[in-house]
Amino acid sequence: FVPYSAIKWIDLFVVRRRWGTGILTMMIPWFDFDLIIHLEHDEIEIEFPAFFEFRDVIENWKENGLYVMDHLDLFKRFPDEKAFKENFSAYFEKNYHDIAQQYGLEDPRISFKKTQW
């Protein structure tokens, strides 16, 4: 439990995830949301499957005074559920390597422990 008042800001990224080492898991692109919650003296990182409905959570946070930095303009780029479902994975499959280099993201993330680029 972290009270809103303890949160300085939240960074929202996308991370390419690789689960396992099998041929099938290497061929299917899997992209998760990656939240970095900045506190006064610490950070909390949360990774979870990307879904359009998370937009409602972000809007709720903004209404409650939390600043969310959507570095990749996710909900502008994919403004409705149809666009998100049809284009999200294809966009990141095509562009993720460059995005990862620009923002220092793992490419792909293969462990549960955050590593540095």
Side-chain angles (χ1 to χ4, degrees):
F1 175 78
V2 177
Y4 286 169
S5 61
I7 298 172
K8 293 169 61 179
W9 79 90
I10 299 170
D11 289 316
L12 173 61
F13 291 102
V14 170
V15 66
R16 181 179 183 142
R17 165 59 76 180
R18 186 174 74 197
W19 297 103
T21 58
I23 296 294
L24 187 60
T25 59
M26 294 174 105
M27 292 174 56
I28 298 173
W30 186 276
F31 298 98
D32 287 342
F33 284 153
D34 195 34
L35 289 179
I36 302 170
I37 302 169
H38 298 270
L39 307 171
E40 185 67 35
H41 301 288
D42 199 9
E43 292 179 350
I44 300 170
E45 186 169 1
I46 304 170
E47 178 185 342
F48 56 94
F51 54 95
F52 182 77
E53 292 80 8
F54 188 65
R55 178 183 191 153
D56 295 339
V57 174
I58 290 175
E59 291 303 318
N60 179 275
W61 286 345
K62 288 178 180 179
E63 290 169 7
N64 283 286
L66 292 179
Y67 183 66
V68 179
M69 290 187 68
D70 179 0
H71 293 274
L72 307 177
D73 291 324
L74 295 171
F75 297 109
K76 289 180 185 173
R77 187 176 309 279
F78 312 105
D80 55 50
E81 190 169 8
K82 183 177 190 254
F84 188 90
K85 286 181 179 182
E86 291 177 358
N87 302 312
F88 180 85
S89 290
Y91 173 81
F92 283 102
E93 181 64 23
K94 179 178 178 184
N95 298 294
Y96 185 76
H97 181 72
D98 291 337
I99 291 168
Q101 286 187 341
Q102 180 180 353
Y103 290 100
L105 305 174
E106 296 156 292
D107 186 17
R109 182 175 288 175
I110 57 174
S111 69
F112 288 106
K113 183 177 180 183
K114 183 176 181 180
T115 58
Q116 296 297 322
W117 237 103

